[in-house]
Amino acid sequence: ACGVPVVAASGAAAAELVAAAGAGLHVPPADAGALADAVVTLLDLDAAGWHALGCAGRRHAEREHAWPCALAR
C-alpha cells in the first residue's frame, strides 16, 4: 500500500496479496539466494517498472482493503 514493489515468501498471506496485486515477486520460504535474486531483480528495474509494480500494489490495497470494503464484508 506504500507504492513500492515488494518481495514476499511463497505460501504466506503476503505472497498471495503480492500475486493478486501484481505488486512484486515471491520467493520460496527460507531461500536466501532466491530472496537476494528477487531483491536484485527489483533494484535493476527502470523507474517505469518500479513505478508500475508499486502503483499496482497501491491500487489493489485501495480497491480491496480500504475501510469501506472491510466494513462491507
Side-chain angles (χ1 to χ4, degrees), residues 26-64:
H26 52 89
V27 298
D31 187 337
L35 176 60
D37 290 343
V39 170
V40 169
T41 297
L42 292 180
L43 292 174
D44 284 344
L45 290 174
D46 61 8
W50 183 269
H51 185 72
L53 287 175
C55 286
R58 177 75 183 194
R59 281 191 308 273
H60 179 79
E62 289 171 346
R63 186 178 61 247
E64 301 294 329

